[in-house]
Amino acid sequence: MFKDNVSHSTLKATSFNKERSEAEIDTLLQAYRFICTAKSMSETYEANRNICKYVHSTSRGHEAIQIATGMLMEPTDFVSPYYRDDSMLLGMGFSPYELMLQLLAKKDDPFSGGRSYYCHPSSNDPAKPKIPHQSSATGMQAIPATGVAQGLQYLEKSGLLQGDQQPISLCSIGDGSMTEGEVSEALQFAVLHRLPIIYLVQDNEWGISVSAREARAMDAYEYAAGFKGLERMRVDGSDFEASLEAMQAAVAYVRVQRKPILVHATVPLLGHHTSGVRKEWYRSIQDLEKHAANDPLPKLYQRLVALGINEKTLDWIAMESQQQVDEAFEQAKNAEEPQLSSIHDFVFAPTPVTVEKGERMPANGAKVVMVDAALHAVEEIMRAYPEAILYGQDVGGRLGGVFREAATLAGKFGDDRVYNTAIQEAYIIGSTVGLSAVGVKPIVEVQFADYFYPGFNQLVSEISKSCYLSGGKYPVQSLIRVPIGAYGGGGPYHSGCIESTLLTIKGIKIVYPSNAADMKGLMKAAFLDPNPVVMLEHKGLYWSKVPGTLEAMCIEPSEDYVIPLGKGRLVLDATGEKVSNGESTCIITYGMGVYWAKAAAVNFPGQITVIDLRTLYPLDEELVFETVRKHGKCLVLTEEQLNNSFVQSLAARIQEQCFKYLDAPVFTMGALDLPAVPLNTALEKVMLPTVEKVVAKLQHIMSY
């Protein structure tokens, strides 16, 4: 049964001076060696700050709980450390030399190839626990780590999990991050779905210069009591034996019970917050002395002496550790630097879809609206790929999406594969990082583009950077569906356009279909792409209810139809004498703009070429520039507002690349150029004034 929110923890962590077996003493000696190594590493970095590439944090004070945790993780487990967890990495089997390669941003840094800060690991070494990409954004790892647990649970339930081992997810996090709203989203999802995850909270009572008293009304253990079903325990994280026993209990609980637990470990902060924020800047002598009294190293030293280990042996271990660290640091200093030419590597993983395949208009095919083309594409995907799942707001069986874009899917594939989430845009988006890392292929939906913004933290910090900063080890296969655009009566919070904001994020792809055939072909390609793809789906085109958009309905393509991302389409082609005489122009557009352009082109027979971009990133620049050079005049048309927009950026690139071919400036047209329409205006009265504005703009362009 779930615990209620006032029940006491059933797991206790204790430390007591009992006799130890020879094997247990060997474990303590190994931990002592790791702590000595971590201390020597910290001191070596401090003495060589001038050659360390980035600011860095170390685990001084946190070593006991981190090493205990690292030693217990299995190669089938997934771990999300945070930027102070170098001792945990030692416990997991990483060498000082490997860690130093990242510290010094060297070519052979096994985590990021010199792309990221110290202690920002990623690893898919089969002999060690798996570590997806870790960012610097505090608290952000809670959602991807919970997504890992979500994926493990799905694979286990569906029979897709390989081997007999029951893997778990571990999220290591600082107490200062626990006040982040996204941590709450992760905990809420974990307890609701009873996921196999450990949240290890390392509490040193400081968040840079912000003290615990200033930052929180309760500690993480007390906070956890509010999450019904979340087991919890406290432990003295400076005591290695207590830490080991606590983590053994936590790991056993999650591995067997397959439920979440939060471990609250109190630890001293003996080092600086980072090498760039010195402890003496904000901490009193009394505070520093209080923390120094809890140093895990002398505690374990005294315990080993009490167990009969000779002090000379312990001193020799410390000396040998320092020597090994010195040698590793010297070797790392002399390691090869990254090649500057490699800076562009791993922004994206290679996609398997590079050419258009399948039948776009199969014989005897029936016409479908865009929303049904998307629905059918997802159904076909889920039939072909048992690892594919769909979740988001209201997409479950009860409603099937507020636009019916997921109708019937839950009934066909079950609630384990198609299900509702809470209003948690950050979790919906960020969890795909963890799901992708374990091999699940998520399709998720944010209900309206206007409400996408809570997910930007995850999209920017985690999803977009994962492939690049992991050196290609962890691209995020994530298909994020977003209904977008104005469709009549939507008002200021249900009609927004967000493509320009999305396009500032490097590492994601943006798709924007304008008809049913493209919807299906691009949806399939986006799913097969190993990179994150945001699919913008215009609400006004879903059913072709807006007058003038009936051509968005198309013959449904074959099941194997795919369109490679980054390929635009020639929708209307101006040819003949008027082109050669300079009496033509081209319109570069996408989405609803395609239908405005086509309607306006009727007024200029044979003079207008219309390009549907289809994919905003990657962009078909070859088609755009070739078309502009052919006509010498150009209008870039969007539904967005123009100021600082994608369209203005594209116009500038066209101006730069096609300047000598232009007969007129590159014109742009967006929302503020279009007529204001009252909320209660009937749909049939919306299209006409918009098209009239486009016609007027084209007449102006033609006058050049």
Side-chain angles (χ1 to χ4, degrees):
M1 289 181 62
F2 282 178
K3 301 189 309 149
D4 61 51
N5 65 342
V6 294
S7 63
H8 296 291
S9 171
T10 56
L11 297 180
K12 303 292 182 184
T14 58
S15 177
F16 45 90
N17 291 331
K18 66 179 182 180
E19 294 300 315
R20 294 292 182 185
S21 68
E22 185 175 338
E24 288 173 328
I25 291 175
D26 285 345
T27 298
L28 297 183
L29 283 169
Q30 180 62 60
Y32 179 75
R33 182 180 295 275
F34 282 141
I35 296 179
C36 288
T37 299
K39 179 175 183 291
S40 296
M41 288 164 58
S42 178
E43 291 171 347
T44 299
Y45 302 164
E46 180 67 13
N48 291 274
R49 285 176 60 208
N50 60 316
I51 64 169
C52 295
K53 296 292 185 181
Y54 306 119
V55 295
H56 58 269
S57 298
T58 67
S59 55
R60 281 296 287 130
H62 296 228
E63 300 98 332
I65 187 65
Q66 288 187 19
I67 290 165
T69 302
M71 293 172 76
L72 293 170
M73 294 294 100
E74 299 287 345
T76 52
D77 294 331
F78 286 78
V79 178
S80 292
Y82 84 119
Y83 54 78
R84 199 180 296 284
D85 280 352
D86 55 0
S87 284
M88 186 181 295
L89 296 174
L90 292 174
M92 288 166 58
F94 292 95
S95 69
Y97 176 67
E98 289 175 302
L99 302 184
M100 291 169 184
L101 287 173
Q102 186 169 58
L103 174 79
L104 301 176
K106 296 295 185 175
K107 172 179 174 290
D108 293 328
D109 157 29
F111 303 140
S112 68
R115 289 172 170 79
S116 196
Y117 293 94
Y118 178 65
C119 204
H120 285 61
S122 61
S123 175
N124 56 9
D125 185 336
K128 296 182 178 72
K130 308 299 180 290
I131 308 176
H133 153 72
Q134 300 302 302
S135 76
S136 289
T138 58
M140 296 304 100
Q141 73 270 33
I143 286 178
T146 307
V148 165
Q150 180 186 353
L152 292 174
Q153 183 188 72
Y154 172 69
L155 293 175
E156 191 173 350
K157 283 184 175 182
S158 60
L160 297 172
L161 196 62
Q162 302 296 316
D164 299 327
Q165 183 72 34
Q166 290 188 297
I168 65 174
S169 177
L170 181 131
C171 174
S172 175
I173 194 167
D175 62 293
S177 300
M178 290 301 294
T179 52
E180 288 275 11
E182 293 182 26
V183 175
S184 174
E185 290 191 23
L187 295 176
Q188 188 78 254
F189 197 93
V191 296
L192 178 64
H193 293 274
R194 305 175 82 169
L195 300 181
I197 183 169
I198 300 172
Y199 298 98
L200 171 61
V201 183
Q202 300 174 54
D203 187 351
N204 62 31
E205 298 186 332
W206 285 101
I208 310 185
S209 69
V210 179
S211 68
R213 186 179 63 182
E214 293 172 292
R216 67 192 190 202
M218 66 201 78
D219 65 26
Y221 178 84
E222 295 162 333
Y223 183 56
F227 291 88
K228 187 178 181 180
L230 181 61
E231 184 58 86
R232 60 197 173 113
M233 70 164 71
R234 290 189 189 276
V235 63
D236 178 357
S238 68
D239 182 328
F240 177 77
E241 286 179 285
S243 296
L244 185 63
E245 290 177 1
M247 293 310 298
Q248 284 172 333
V251 169
Y253 174 80
V254 178
R255 209 176 291 288
V256 174
Q257 297 295 324
R258 316 306 286 161
K259 296 177 185 176
I261 187 171
L262 183 143
V263 179
H264 176 247
T266 55
V267 290
L269 178 59
L270 303 182
H272 305 288
H273 170 72
T274 69
S275 57
V277 182
R278 318 294 290 170
K279 59 187 177 183
E280 59 270 15
W281 293 351
Y282 60 92
R283 295 173 66 187
S284 67
I285 293 175
Q286 292 81 1
D287 179 74
L288 293 170
E289 289 175 346
K290 182 188 83 169
H291 282 249
N294 275 323
D295 190 335
L297 184 57
K299 281 187 175 183
L300 187 53
Y301 183 100
Q302 294 301 327
R303 175 62 173 143
L304 286 165
V305 170
L307 288 169
I309 304 300
N310 190 290
E311 292 186 8
K312 289 185 178 180
T313 299
L314 298 176
D315 293 341
W316 179 84
I317 290 174
M319 182 181 67
E320 184 184 48
S321 298
Q322 181 65 63
Q323 182 180 346
Q324 291 172 346
V325 166
D326 289 342
E327 291 172 356
F329 192 74
E330 193 63 28
Q331 184 184 1
K333 280 197 303 183
N334 296 320
E336 186 178 352
E337 300 288 343
Q339 294 294 316
L340 187 60
S341 59
S342 70
I343 195 170
H344 299 295
D345 295 346
F346 307 118
V347 176
F348 292 108
T351 178
V353 181
T354 56
V355 296
E356 187 171 351
K357 291 183 180 178
E359 292 185 83
R360 184 178 176 93
M361 296 181 64
N364 303 317
K367 279 191 173 185
V368 292
V369 293
M370 279 182 66
V371 72
D372 285 344
L375 175 65
H376 298 165
V378 174
E379 180 176 341
E380 291 166 2
I381 286 167
M382 297 190 77
R383 291 198 188 285
Y385 296 90
E387 64 272 36
I389 63 174
L390 169 67
Y391 60 96
Q393 296 160 23
D394 296 307
V395 301
R398 195 173 294 111
L399 185 60
V402 297
F403 302 103
R404 304 295 288 160
E405 71 281 6
T408 74
L409 293 178
K412 292 176 179 177
F413 298 103
D415 293 337
D416 287 336
R417 295 187 68 188
V418 181
Y419 49 90
N420 290 330
T421 66
I423 302 172
Q424 294 180 331
E425 289 85 1
Y427 188 86
I428 291 168
I429 292 169
S431 57
T432 65
V433 177
L435 286 156
S436 178
V438 303
V440 179
K441 301 180 186 298
I443 304 171
V444 300
E445 181 179 319
V446 172
Q447 200 164 84
F448 288 90
D450 310 71
Y451 303 118
F452 195 91
Y453 298 101
F456 263 81
N457 268 347
Q458 291 293 322
L459 192 67
V460 174
S461 298
E462 308 299 329
I463 290 181
S464 69
K465 294 179 172 64
S466 183
C467 186
Y468 185 73
L469 294 181
S470 69
K473 293 188 291 293
Y474 286 100
V476 179
Q477 183 169 6
S478 173
L479 173 51
I480 304 169
R481 299 181 62 186
V482 186
I484 192 171
Y487 67 116
Y493 287 99
H494 296 82
S495 304
C497 296
I498 62 170
E499 56 264 35
S500 287
T501 309
L502 289 169
L503 285 162
T504 63
I505 305 169
K506 191 167 188 175
I508 63 173
K509 299 183 180 182
I510 313 294
V511 174
Y512 204 138
S514 69
N515 60 72
D518 287 349
M519 173 74 89
K520 188 169 185 180
L522 291 168
M523 181 81 76
K524 292 288 186 75
F527 174 80
L528 294 170
D529 200 303
N531 303 288
V533 181
V534 178
M535 191 146 187
L536 302 176
E537 305 173 18
H538 200 290
K539 302 186 292 290
L541 299 177
Y542 263 158
W543 298 286
S544 294
K545 286 186 176 180
V546 176
T549 64
L550 281 178
E551 289 185 19
M553 297 174 60
C554 300
I555 299 292
E556 183 169 0
S558 61
E559 187 168 337
D560 62 344
Y561 182 62
V562 290
I563 301 169
L565 307 190
K567 293 295 182 182
R569 178 170 174 256
L570 187 65
V571 174
L572 186 66
D573 192 12
T575 56
E577 185 177 324
K578 291 187 177 181
V579 175
S580 58
N581 290 341
E583 299 176 35
S584 65
T585 191
C586 61
I587 304 176
I588 313 298
T589 189
Y590 57 94
M592 186 62 79
V594 172
Y595 299 95
W596 296 336
K598 290 176 70 175
V602 172
N603 295 273
F604 305 90
Q607 293 179 274
I608 306 296
T609 288
V610 178
I611 298 296
D612 181 357
L613 293 174
R614 301 198 294 194
T615 305
L616 306 187
Y617 193 88
L619 185 69
D620 193 345
E621 291 188 340
E622 182 180 353
L623 177 61
V624 170
F625 297 155
E626 177 186 316
T627 304
V628 172
R629 288 165 184 157
K630 177 181 177 181
H631 295 282
K633 302 185 186 77
C634 176
L635 170 64
V636 189
L637 178 62
T638 180
E639 188 174 333
E640 273 198 304
Q641 60 88 23
L642 283 179
N643 192 34
N644 301 315
S645 68
F646 154 69
V647 157
Q648 285 189 330
S649 171
L650 176 56
R653 282 145 67 194
I654 292 172
Q655 197 96 356
E656 181 180 24
Q657 295 295 321
C658 306
F659 183 74
K660 68 179 182 180
Y661 299 91
L662 292 174
D663 298 323
V666 177
F667 287 90
T668 58
M669 190 171 183
L672 295 182
D673 296 316
L674 301 176
V677 179
L679 286 181
N680 61 354
T681 301
L683 283 176
E684 61 269 16
K685 295 182 180 179
V686 173
M687 191 74 165
L688 182 59
T690 300
V691 173
E692 288 175 347
K693 285 275 189 175
V694 177
V695 169
K697 179 69 77 171
L698 288 173
Q699 288 172 337
H700 176 65
I701 295 171
M702 291 291 194
S703 68
Y704 278 82

